[in-house]
Amino acid sequence: QQDPEFLAQELAKAEILDYNLIDNVARRVPRQARFLQRLETRPRMSEFSVRTTIISRYAFTTVSCTLVNSGSEDREGVFEMQIPITAFVTNFTMIIGDKAYHGEVIGKDKRLGDAVRHHRYSRPLEDGENGVEMFKASGTIPRKGQAIFLLHYEELLQRRLGKYQYTLSIRPQQLVGRLRVEVNILENSG
């Protein structure tokens, strides 16, 4: 238990004039209730699929994510994907309800030079130390509706000692109803 005098001194330092803490404590929402409210309001990821085709060390990757808002009001759905720093995004599309929103692909040089312009959709975030960057997009999903996020990116894989490595990071940050990963490798022998 804390010393009441110590608590009074701390409240005085923080310039809290209302010492009636019982009322303040009674108005607090329990942690569990806040957690349940957050779970209830966040759109649910019903499907997450990644399809990659590697042809002669050139990788074409398509990521599809379906978010469902089962709530009674509109909610913001967030799509995040780690992509390699050497990859470049060729297309990004959001299908929310019956409308399709196509992203504008901007080169990294132009994106870094054009700092005044802010995009809400389709923006790679900070460069990572481990050779990846975070692609993040968000959109408002109508109540009882769904949103589909489609990301296409390409990458030239580096060959070392006759071998190349393809890395894929899948972190949906919630349970997914249907998770699918498909990698096709087409390599000429000889």
Side-chain angles (χ1 to χ4, degrees):
Q1 289 189 357
Q2 289 188 347
D3 182 24
E5 291 181 45
F6 175 74
L7 185 59
Q9 290 173 356
E10 290 298 314
L11 290 172
K13 287 180 191 174
E15 297 180 354
I16 296 176
L17 302 176
D18 183 17
Y19 291 106
N20 192 358
L21 294 177
I22 295 171
D23 289 338
N24 290 335
V25 171
R27 284 184 288 188
R28 280 188 24 196
V29 177
R31 269 184 268 162
Q32 296 85 355
R34 275 188 279 164
F35 179 71
L36 291 174
Q37 286 173 348
R38 188 174 58 87
L39 282 179
E40 182 181 310
T41 60
R42 196 166 101 184
R44 181 180 49 85
M45 190 176 297
S46 64
E47 183 177 350
F48 191 90
S49 67
V50 180
R51 173 179 278 167
T52 300
T53 303
I54 300 173
I55 303 173
S56 299
R57 77 185 180 105
Y58 197 79
F60 300 91
T61 303
T62 301
V63 181
S64 172
C65 175
T66 303
L67 293 174
V68 177
N69 179 11
S70 57
S72 60
E73 27 182 81
D74 296 355
R75 300 283 181 213
E76 183 175 23
V78 178
F79 168 70
E80 290 183 334
M81 180 73 184
Q82 284 186 344
I83 62 173
I85 213 162
T86 57
F88 60 95
V89 175
T90 55
N91 188 14
F92 176 72
T93 304
M94 288 190 311
I95 302 169
I96 300 177
D98 295 333
K99 292 184 179 181
Y101 302 94
H102 300 283
E104 180 183 349
V105 179
I106 299 174
K108 289 183 181 181
D109 296 337
K110 184 177 179 184
R111 177 176 51 97
L112 294 174
D114 196 9
V116 176
R117 217 165 115 190
H118 296 327
H119 294 283
R120 181 173 176 202
Y121 306 112
S122 156
R123 64 181 186 268
L125 298 177
E126 68 220 26
D127 294 346
E129 300 139 9
N130 54 355
V132 296
E133 61 185 358
M134 185 65 76
F135 180 90
K136 184 176 181 178
S138 63
T140 303
I141 304 172
R143 66 183 184 98
K144 307 293 183 196
Q146 73 173 9
I148 301 171
F149 296 89
L150 299 168
L151 172 66
H152 301 275
Y153 66 89
E154 300 176 12
E155 176 185 13
L156 179 63
L157 304 172
Q158 298 297 316
R159 190 182 304 264
R160 290 188 181 91
L161 301 174
K163 298 179 183 179
Y164 54 85
Q165 179 179 349
Y166 176 73
T167 304
L168 182 63
S169 177
I170 300 173
R171 298 179 184 181
Q173 299 181 1
Q174 63 175 291
L175 290 176
V176 179
R178 186 172 152 186
L179 177 67
R180 184 175 57 192
V181 177
E182 181 181 332
V183 178
N184 300 306
I185 302 172
L186 306 171
E187 187 73 32
N188 293 333
S189 59

